């Protein structure tokens, strides 16, 4: 895929809390819409390097109205507020920078204790943010490509990530895993789209049971 798509642009990592907020918005939402919504939240609630207390303390209806561009705003707004309150209560202040000192598994477990944070979001936080740990964010796009290629048996994101990590070389570092995720996402959004994948143009066709069956 690297030969076909070229090197993805490097990511500018967010701090862990900002990445968590972004990942909550981004689930099942187009990148342009989650990016635009994140910009709205940042300009409204975040000035300079201040943390996200103003978002945590904002009225729920106000947060929900700012989330209108993302899917399930009515679910994501209360969940986001509850998570920000929960972090403040559990840690004593609103930050996730302290996670840096924990092992990756412990960080993911800590994050997944919050309702609405599953393997996909915890992987995004540890891999994409400044934490930069080894993890593979298996979102809906990634899952679709993996299942069509029959790389692992059909399963949920957490199990699929675990199985894929067994196939991935152990010397792939966090940046390589992030790059791999970006390439799979690009593939899922250009050729291996949900409806009518463009299999005849796909560089993976010879390896893909789904694509070959469709020819
Ligand atoms: S051959 Fe088709 S289904 Fe298989 S990975 Fe390529 S685009 Fe997706």
């Amino acid at each position: 895929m690297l030969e076909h798509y070229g090197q993805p642009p490097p990511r500018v990592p967010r701090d862990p809390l900002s990445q968590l907020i972004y990942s909550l918005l981004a689930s099942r939402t187009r990148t342009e819409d989650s990016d635009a919504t994140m910009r709205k939240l940042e300009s409204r609630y975040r000035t300079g390097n201040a943390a996200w207390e103003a978002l945590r303390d904002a009225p729920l209806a106000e947060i929900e109205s700012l989330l209108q561009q993302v899917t399930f705003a009515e679910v994501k707004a209360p969940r986001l507020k509850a998570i920000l309150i929960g972090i403040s209560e559990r840690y004593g202040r609103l930050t996730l920078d302290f996670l840096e000192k924990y092992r990756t598994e412990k960080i993911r477990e800590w994050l997944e204790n919050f309702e609405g944070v599953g393997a996909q979001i915890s992987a995004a936080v540890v891999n994409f943010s400044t934490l930069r740990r080894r993890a593979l964010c298996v979102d809906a796009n990634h899952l679709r490509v993996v299942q069509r290629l029959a790389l692992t048996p059909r399963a949920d994101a957490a199990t699929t990530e675990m199985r894929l990590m067994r196939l991935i070389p152990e010397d792939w570092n966090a940046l390589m895993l992030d790059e791999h995720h970006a390439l799979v996402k690009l593939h899922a959004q250009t050729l291996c789209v949900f409806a009518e994948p463009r299999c005849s143009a796909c560089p993976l066709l010879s390896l893909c049971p789904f694509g070959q069956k469709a020819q």
Side-chain angles (χ1 to χ4, degrees):
M1 275 202 288
L2 188 57
E3 274 176 29
H4 185 80
Y5 292 109
Q7 195 81 27
R11 181 189 300 277
V12 178
R14 295 180 162 92
D15 67 272
L17 179 58
S18 300
Q19 180 61 51
L20 175 62
I21 294 168
Y22 180 83
S23 297
L24 288 161
L25 302 176
S27 153
R28 297 194 175 269
T29 296
R30 294 186 317 154
T31 305
E32 309 87 88
D33 292 331
S34 35
D35 285 351
T37 303
M38 190 68 179
R39 281 195 296 274
K40 272 190 227 167
L41 296 182
E42 282 171 336
S43 69
R44 178 90 171 227
Y45 299 119
R46 206 170 189 223
T47 47
N49 284 329
W52 288 97
E53 284 87 352
L55 171 59
R56 177 196 63 197
D57 299 337
L60 185 54
E62 183 180 296
I63 300 173
E64 194 177 325
S65 74
L66 286 165
L67 263 55
Q68 283 311 306
Q69 225 172 318
V70 304
T71 54
F72 310 119
E74 69 291 354
V75 176
K76 289 179 179 176
R79 191 167 276 171
L80 178 57
K81 189 172 170 70
I83 289 172
L84 297 181
I85 292 170
I87 293 169
S88 309
E89 288 174 354
R90 283 171 64 185
Y91 183 62
R93 70 195 167 85
L94 186 52
T95 176
L96 289 180
D97 290 350
F98 66 94
L99 294 176
E100 178 66 54
K101 61 179 186 285
Y102 294 146
R103 286 178 298 108
T104 305
E105 296 70 27
K106 187 169 176 192
I107 298 174
R108 296 190 64 175
E109 202 179 301
W110 199 90
L111 293 169
E112 288 176 26
N113 268 317
F114 291 106
E115 192 186 342
V117 179
Q120 177 195 328
I121 290 180
S122 74
V125 173
V126 297
N127 184 242
F128 301 163
S129 79
T130 49
L131 292 169
R132 280 302 196 195
R133 305 295 178 88
R134 285 186 94 245
L136 188 60
C137 175
V138 177
D139 58 16
N141 282 323
H142 206 121
L143 207 52
R144 180 173 71 252
V145 173
V146 166
Q147 287 174 351
R148 285 176 173 172
L149 283 164
L151 286 179
T152 64
R154 202 166 265 273
D156 61 14
T159 309
T160 303
E161 182 194 355
M162 191 180 66
R163 288 172 173 162
L164 288 173
M165 287 298 276
R166 285 195 206 120
L167 303 175
I168 285 173
E170 280 181 18
D171 60 357
W172 279 26
N173 62 25
L175 293 181
M176 293 159 100
L177 290 163
D178 185 359
E179 183 180 279
H180 176 70
H181 169 82
L183 286 169
V184 174
K185 182 174 171 182
L186 190 58
H187 182 57
Q189 292 175 337
T190 52
L191 294 179
C192 200
V193 291
F194 177 71
E196 300 182 25
R198 296 167 53 209
C199 300
S200 56
C202 178
L204 302 175
L205 177 58
S206 64
L207 305 170
C208 180
F210 182 100
Q212 292 190 5
K213 207 169 157 191
Q215 297 307 297

